[in-house]
Amino acid sequence: MEKVRLGIIGIGGMGSAHAENVVKGLVPNMELTAVADVRQSRLDWAKENLPENVVRFSDGRKLIESGCCDAVLVATPHYFHPEYVIYALEHGLHAISEKPAGVYVRQVREMNEVAAKQDKVFAIMFNQRTNCTYRKLKEMMESGELGAMKRVNWIITDWYRTQSYYDAAGWKATWDGEGGGVLLNQCPHQLDLLQWLCGLPVKVRAFCHEAKWHDIEVEDDVTAYLEFENGATGVFVTTTGDAPGTNRLELTFERGKIVCEDGKLIFDKLKVNEREFCKTEKNGFAKPEMERIVVETDGMNEQHVGVLKAFANKIQGKGELIAEGTEGIRALSLSNAMYLSSWLGETVTLPVDEAVFLRELNKRRKLSKKKEDGGVVFDVKGTY
């Protein structure tokens, strides 16, 4: 095929941003042919802002069945991601899901089981993997030049949101509508990068504070302690209530420390392995010599456009995905572990018991309150 014909299901903030990127020609081998949304206001937006030949549907299944698409991008509320992806794959279409792939691991496992039976591409929109600083960091970690990881600390608190953000849509920040708060909406990218870079931890103890800074049902402030298989430890801190916020990733290795902040990668490189220095140095107060290096990257950071380019290329047999569908399981398993640890008030091991997690989630869904939909769709450009 000359161009991949894309349909977008859900044209709220992110869905409309994806639509505009494709219409602008930023993904050369992809064209937008259809959109779907259950809200008439969004279909009206599509009529006014998208080309006339883009077909509009009030039902995502009708879009999938229409024959006017080769692939779909699912950008609906979280619980519906697996439903539409599975329906698309079973009807012969390729699929890419916005993050998170689903709310609970069992959902995403089912998506991947269906994908494995189909000869179709299934991808996840983990656009932060295109960021040059994280790509370079992964390259350095995989090269072995840093030695074993000893510690990771990520404070990601620049997700500040006002109450109006949560009031904009009836499904937002409710257990039954969204399935979670900052861990499931803002932080899937960082949780994915954390496991992509460091691997999944084996133990998690988390404290998820619900409605700490906003009038919502779900968590808006989280602190989690992590333990990895090799003995390394970590701390992950996030919130939507801090202003100004911080995005600082710090990793300590046997051969030094790396800080990723403000788009820069700073490497404090030890001249000797710390483990060797500790065992052989006779001066009890001595520290190993180091040099500070500002690590060069290729400067490329294509974000969502880069993920869609890779998705289209993969469909056409010309490349690999940024993140395959199976990666959705790994990132989600980390947030599921944090939730379960906080709910049970104890340390949990990974993989978590999927049945126990779903039982605890459903308890909260039953108590979830319906709220009025504000009908507001924010412009998300520059918010990720």
Side-chain angles (χ1 to χ4, degrees):
M1 64 185 76
E2 183 178 346
K3 287 191 175 185
V4 175
R5 299 175 302 158
L6 180 71
I8 299 178
I9 302 175
I11 45 172
M14 281 311 309
S16 58
H18 293 313
E20 291 173 345
N21 284 339
V22 176
V23 168
K24 290 176 182 177
L26 299 181
V27 188
N29 52 339
M30 179 176 279
E31 63 179 328
L32 184 66
T33 56
V35 295
D37 204 293
V38 296
R39 297 164 294 177
Q40 185 58 46
S41 61
R42 298 311 298 163
L43 296 178
D44 292 341
W45 174 90
K47 182 178 181 180
E48 295 173 4
N49 293 275
L50 299 178
E52 291 183 6
N53 63 339
V54 176
V55 186
R56 301 180 300 279
F57 295 89
S58 59
D59 184 340
R61 291 176 184 79
K62 296 297 183 184
L63 180 152
I64 290 168
E65 297 166 356
S66 69
C68 62
C69 302
D70 305 306
V72 295
L73 190 164
V74 179
T76 60
H78 305 153
Y79 280 107
F80 297 101
H81 291 181
E83 182 178 326
Y84 284 118
V85 165
I86 288 173
Y87 199 76
L89 291 169
E90 290 180 337
H91 284 74
L93 301 185
H94 307 281
I96 181 168
S97 173
E98 255 296 349
K99 56 76 185 170
V103 176
Y104 49 95
V105 170
R106 181 179 293 180
Q107 265 189 324
V108 185
R109 196 175 302 285
E110 291 172 0
M111 295 164 78
N112 281 279
E113 287 171 357
V114 172
K117 297 175 183 176
Q118 312 295 326
D119 186 24
K120 298 298 173 183
V121 177
F122 172 36
I124 305 291
M125 183 59 77
F126 282 140
N127 46 283
Q128 289 296 339
R129 291 194 185 191
T130 70
N131 187 310
C132 53
T133 55
Y134 300 126
R135 286 189 288 107
K136 183 62 178 179
L137 176 56
K138 184 172 177 63
E139 177 187 313
M140 294 175 70
M141 292 176 70
E142 290 184 340
S143 73
E145 64 180 292
L146 305 175
M149 185 181 77
K150 299 168 64 180
R151 191 181 313 279
V152 55
N153 293 282
W154 203 334
I155 177 169
I156 171 69
T157 59
D158 63 350
W159 293 122
Y160 184 73
R161 297 292 186 267
T162 64
Q163 186 63 41
S164 62
Y165 167 84
Y166 292 109
D167 294 342
W171 62 276
K172 274 187 177 297
T174 64
W175 290 115
D176 196 43
E178 187 165 18
V182 63
L183 288 178
L184 208 61
N185 189 312
Q186 285 78 31
C187 277
H189 291 299
Q190 283 70 39
L191 294 176
D192 170 62
L193 289 170
L194 185 64
Q195 68 83 21
W196 188 54
L197 293 166
C198 306
L200 281 170
V202 293
K203 291 182 181 180
V204 171
R205 179 65 176 104
F207 300 87
C208 302
H209 300 275
E210 298 167 4
K212 187 172 185 178
W213 309 113
H214 305 87
D215 181 17
I216 55 176
E217 290 182 357
V218 296
E219 87 290 348
D220 58 2
D221 194 292
V222 177
T223 298
Y225 166 75
L226 317 171
E227 288 186 7
F228 294 85
E229 190 171 10
N230 75 336
T233 58
V235 175
F236 186 84
V237 178
T238 190
T239 182
T240 54
D242 281 7
T246 298
N247 184 359
R248 178 184 172 93
L249 171 61
E250 179 176 310
L251 302 103
T252 305
F253 303 90
E254 292 176 329
R255 296 303 301 264
K257 179 180 74 176
I258 292 184
V259 174
C260 180
E261 189 174 20
D262 297 328
K264 296 179 181 178
L265 211 55
I266 307 298
F267 180 24
D268 288 342
K269 183 178 181 180
L270 300 180
K271 293 190 175 181
V272 296
N273 186 299
E274 182 278 328
R275 292 288 75 203
E276 178 185 343
F277 185 85
C278 178
K279 294 172 183 177
T280 59
E281 173 57 43
K282 302 305 180 183
N283 182 347
F285 291 93
K287 293 182 180 180
E289 293 183 42
M290 55 147 281
E291 62 174 321
R292 176 158 292 180
I293 300 170
V294 179
V295 180
E296 291 188 9
T297 70
D298 61 20
M300 293 181 62
N301 186 12
E302 290 192 301
Q303 293 290 316
H304 303 93
V305 169
V307 176
L308 287 178
K309 283 181 179 179
F311 180 55
N313 287 340
K314 180 67 174 180
I315 291 171
Q316 295 180 332
K318 298 186 294 188
E320 297 303 321
L321 296 171
I322 300 297
E324 297 182 357
T326 51
E327 293 296 281
I329 295 177
R330 294 177 59 82
L332 191 61
S333 66
L334 187 47
S335 62
N336 280 189
M338 290 182 182
Y339 282 127
L340 190 59
S341 172
S342 187
W343 293 341
L344 299 180
E346 61 187 40
T347 299
V348 300
T349 58
L350 278 80
V352 298
D353 187 316
E354 295 176 16
V356 173
F357 178 84
L358 187 55
R359 180 194 70 199
E360 293 298 318
L361 174 63
N362 285 338
K363 285 181 183 178
R364 288 153 179 81
R365 294 184 71 180
K366 287 180 181 179
L367 298 175
S368 187
K369 296 178 181 178
K370 301 294 182 184
K371 66 175 188 174
E372 186 176 346
D373 195 317
V376 177
V377 175
F378 292 107
D379 185 346
V380 300
K381 296 182 184 68
T383 64
Y384 44 82

